[in-house]
Amino acid sequence: MGKIQPCCYHEMDYMGRVYRTYVLSEPIGTAIAQHDSSLFLVTTSDGQHYNDCILELDMNTGEIVKRIKILDLLGEKYHTGKEWLLFSAMEYRNGKLLLTLKRIHTIAQLDLESCKLDWVLAPEVMWKDTPLESIALKTQGDDISMGRPDKATWINEKELLIYSTGTKGAVAGGYHDPKESAVLRVQVDEKELTYVQKEKHGCVKTMQFGSALYLQESDKYLHLTGVTADRTQEKHS
């Protein structure tokens, strides 16, 4: 990873005025979430791997109050290479963190009190015959059409909106669509550990980055595409 440089995090408003600056002695990834004075960041677990450790920073004191290694949660199966997760997004809700682990085609929910996973959502083959199989969400319908998801977010108490790039990537098991990426709407029953893929909407194919928003008032979806697979005059990245 090279020499680790101190990382600065600035609290600022939309006019660019800086209110507080935090200087950290470790590199910080792109996934971030906040609740009250707790700021959740992603860093390296050991100086050799990218973005595989969650930090909880107390914004009032600047102190790191919690450190959670993803390897302790997932086990060794996919722990290959420096960037073995591609940890692309994180969201806080009710004492939980929703994690988007792009490279391993997985959405996971982390309980912050116990520092354990409540469940994982992924194509069935991803966690079959592993210790996580017992908390992998099951479905009575078709397996989820999700490959290298870039972001998952809750849109109500029981439903997730997931942007799936639809790219297989380096880890086998994800859904692959060479023509389209997709916005997925997935209903989750956290008590029964089950899910149903309610909707799938194809969109411009991206090889790398993307996201989606749901507009409840108009019942419409917005998809935001990063690096497009087909760069034409009509479709620019």
Side-chain angles (χ1 to χ4, degrees):
M1 293 180 64
K3 184 179 179 181
I4 294 178
Q5 300 293 331
C7 177
C8 291
Y9 172 80
H10 302 290
E11 181 185 20
M12 63 177 64
D13 61 22
Y14 286 105
M15 300 298 293
R17 291 173 292 199
V18 176
Y19 296 91
R20 288 183 287 193
T21 297
Y22 305 93
V23 180
L24 306 178
S25 60
E26 43 207 319
I28 299 301
T30 56
I32 187 170
Q34 182 180 344
H35 175 65
D36 294 334
S37 62
S38 292
L39 185 68
F40 302 97
L41 304 165
V42 178
T43 185
T44 173
S45 62
D46 55 9
Q48 301 299 317
H49 297 88
Y50 295 106
N51 303 333
D52 62 346
C53 181
I54 297 171
L55 302 180
E56 181 180 348
L57 171 73
D58 186 323
M59 295 180 66
N60 293 324
T61 66
E63 179 186 4
I64 301 296
V65 297
K66 189 172 292 186
R67 187 182 295 265
I68 305 170
K69 293 184 178 181
I70 306 300
L71 179 61
D72 295 339
L73 304 177
L74 299 182
E76 295 279 356
K77 181 175 182 180
Y78 299 110
H79 192 233
T80 59
K82 291 184 176 181
E83 196 161 11
W84 62 285
L85 290 175
L86 278 178
F87 197 145
S88 56
M90 182 164 53
E91 179 178 279
Y92 176 91
R93 186 180 79 157
N94 300 331
K96 318 278 187 178
L97 284 177
L98 185 68
L99 317 178
T100 304
L101 308 176
K102 183 175 181 176
R103 187 173 186 269
I104 58 173
H105 312 292
T106 296
I107 310 299
Q109 181 166 278
L110 171 66
D111 180 81
L112 287 167
E113 183 175 356
S114 66
C115 295
K116 295 182 179 180
L117 294 178
D118 292 332
W119 49 260
V120 294
L121 172 62
E124 183 180 5
V125 69
M126 296 303 300
W127 300 106
K128 190 175 180 61
D129 300 323
T130 74
L132 268 64
E133 185 175 11
S134 63
I135 61 167
L137 299 183
K138 308 296 191 297
T139 184
Q140 296 297 320
D142 294 334
D143 202 9
I144 189 167
S145 305
M146 185 173 72
R148 287 171 65 93
D150 213 34
K151 185 175 182 180
T153 185
W154 289 106
I155 56 174
N156 55 48
E157 287 298 312
K158 295 184 178 182
E159 291 186 311
L160 291 170
L161 192 67
I162 303 171
Y163 186 96
S164 168
T165 65
T167 303
K168 186 175 182 180
V171 177
Y175 177 81
H176 181 62
D177 187 332
K179 295 182 179 180
E180 288 186 328
S181 295
V183 178
L184 310 179
R185 186 166 180 162
V186 179
Q187 182 175 303
V188 175
D189 187 325
E190 297 189 81
K191 291 184 179 180
E192 298 296 327
L193 290 181
T194 60
Y195 77 90
V196 177
Q197 182 176 302
K198 303 289 288 187
E199 298 178 23
K200 176 187 175 185
H201 302 278
C203 56
V204 174
K205 178 68 176 178
T206 176
M207 301 304 295
Q208 289 289 339
F209 311 110
S211 187
L213 299 172
Y214 174 61
L215 306 179
Q216 186 172 2
E217 299 81 2
S218 57
D219 192 30
K220 292 183 178 180
Y221 301 95
L222 296 178
H223 60 85
L224 301 92
T225 297
V227 181
T228 58
D230 181 17
R231 298 186 182 186
T232 69
Q233 291 185 353
E234 292 77 25
K235 300 175 183 178
H236 291 284
S237 61

